[in-house]
Amino acid sequence: ACQHRLWPEIDRISMEQLRYARLGVGEGGWQLFAEDGEMKMYKREEEVNGMVVDPLKACHMVRGVTGHEMCHYFFSPDVRMDWETTVEQMTVIETIAEDTLVFLQVHKRIWPASQRDSLFWSHMRQVPDHNDRDGHDIWIVCNHSTENPDFPSNNGKFVRVTLTVCLVCQTFIDPPKDGAQIVRDNITCKITYCSVVNPGGWAPASVLRAVYKREYPKFLKRFTAYVIDQCKEKPIMF
Ligand SMILES: O=S(=O)(CCO)c1ccc(-c2ccc(C3CCCC3)c([C@@H]3C[C@@H]3c3ccccn3)c2)cc1
């Protein structure tokens, strides 16, 4: 992967997104728009050329899974269609490395907007976390739009969205008493999910904002429930 032409961009954007995810929501005009238990969703209202591109930042605490497990299932193409209900087709068009893939996805049409597709590299990485006492690393998956001459955007069929998404997960362990073995009940995963999606072509602001408001909470709740369900009978992947 390190000699691939995209590697410098992949490395830079992934680390930028890690820093961005770890910034609090105290400053920068974030407004809380959805809450569900431990999950808090914030957005900023932004438009580019009259198109809604509202950045999103979601913070969540999930008990019983590790950050490695959360990122593993988010990254894996094999299980994508099991939890990602807003995607109609998903293809891996390039394998840059075992932790770096290029996806082409066709998203379900959201009336009255025209149907969208997305083409993005996806990179998973473990990052040592210096200021974390119990020494558990941070896992990140970063998805960022890219181009590929074999799959030109606006090929007449779909409008190509551009996106930058990151899932940053940190594992916290509440060690059991008397040195007993760690079980899932002793584990909590702190998730920060950030996303900026540019619709790539005009769509009514009111429709897009309603879609964002409805779809993001559903998406994150469904994904985290899926990971909990997949992991509960399996050995812990730290
Ligand atoms: O986290 S991921 O990388 C997981 C891999 O699939 C990812 C998540 C979401 C998208 C996405 C793509 C298109 C659209 C819209 C834009 C105009 C018409 C379609 C949206 C809007 C934000 C709303 C939305 C949010 C969540 C789920 C579906 N819809 C989101 C892409 C990738």
Side-chain angles (χ1 to χ4, degrees):
C2 297
Q3 68 287 346
H4 189 278
R5 67 177 180 80
L6 281 175
W7 179 248
E9 175 188 293
I10 292 168
D11 192 38
R12 174 173 54 82
I13 302 262
S14 297
M15 290 300 96
E16 268 171 23
Q17 283 298 303
L18 173 61
R19 280 192 296 277
Y20 172 73
R22 294 172 81 174
L23 294 176
V25 285
E27 70 288 332
W30 293 100
Q31 50 179 297
L32 180 68
F33 77 88
E35 251 188 293
D36 182 278
E38 293 291 323
M39 183 177 77
K40 292 180 172 50
M41 284 212 158
Y42 304 84
K43 69 169 184 174
R44 282 205 314 258
E45 298 213 346
E46 283 179 17
E47 300 191 8
V48 169
N49 305 330
M51 287 184 299
V52 166
V53 294
D54 298 356
L56 176 113
K57 182 178 275 198
C59 304
H60 200 2
M61 292 287 274
V62 178
R63 179 183 289 276
V65 292
T66 65
H68 187 184
E69 290 167 334
M70 202 52 87
C71 285
H72 168 80
Y73 286 98
F74 186 71
F75 175 79
S76 169
D78 305 346
V79 300
R80 171 94 13 113
M81 299 307 276
D82 294 350
W83 58 267
E84 177 47 294
T85 56
T86 66
V87 164
E88 226 166 59
Q89 283 166 40
M90 182 273 313
T91 318
V92 174
I93 61 164
E94 191 180 352
T95 298
I96 294 175
E98 55 151 359
D99 63 6
T100 310
L101 304 172
V102 182
F103 288 88
L104 177 65
Q105 297 195 155
V106 176
H107 298 266
K108 284 180 180 167
R109 182 169 179 239
I110 292 173
W111 187 88
S114 40
Q115 191 159 18
R116 260 71 180 176
D117 69 359
S118 59
L119 195 154
F120 56 91
W121 52 256
S122 183
H123 174 59
M124 176 165 69
R125 146 171 351 182
Q126 178 176 15
V127 177
D129 179 54
H130 310 296
N131 58 19
D132 175 348
R133 288 170 317 293
D134 68 15
H136 274 274
D137 293 335
I138 287 177
W139 283 85
I140 174 172
V141 175
C142 185
N143 296 342
H144 181 76
S145 290
T146 190
E147 294 178 347
N148 181 309
D150 302 340
F151 304 89
S153 52
N154 303 333
N155 44 35
K157 285 200 295 280
F158 308 114
V159 174
R160 174 78 38 98
V161 302
T162 51
L163 59 88
T164 301
V165 165
C166 75
L167 180 72
V168 176
C169 298
Q170 181 159 27
T171 309
F172 293 92
I173 298 176
D174 179 20
K177 306 284 173 283
D178 55 46
Q181 194 201 21
I182 292 170
V183 293
R184 289 195 176 277
D185 224 25
N186 308 128
I187 296 172
T188 305
C189 178
K190 180 173 183 296
I191 296 172
T192 305
Y193 172 85
C194 300
S195 115
V196 180
V197 176
N198 181 319
W202 189 80
S206 56
V207 168
L208 276 185
R209 290 206 159 109
V211 165
Y212 287 26
K213 188 176 174 73
R214 183 184 70 233
E215 292 299 334
Y216 273 123
K218 252 168 62 179
F219 168 85
L220 199 61
K221 274 181 66 177
R222 180 182 176 88
F223 171 65
T224 50
Y226 173 80
V227 176
I228 290 166
D229 185 60
Q230 287 297 308
C231 290
K232 64 187 174 195
E233 305 302 327
K234 294 187 178 105
I236 302 169
M237 183 164 60
F238 286 101

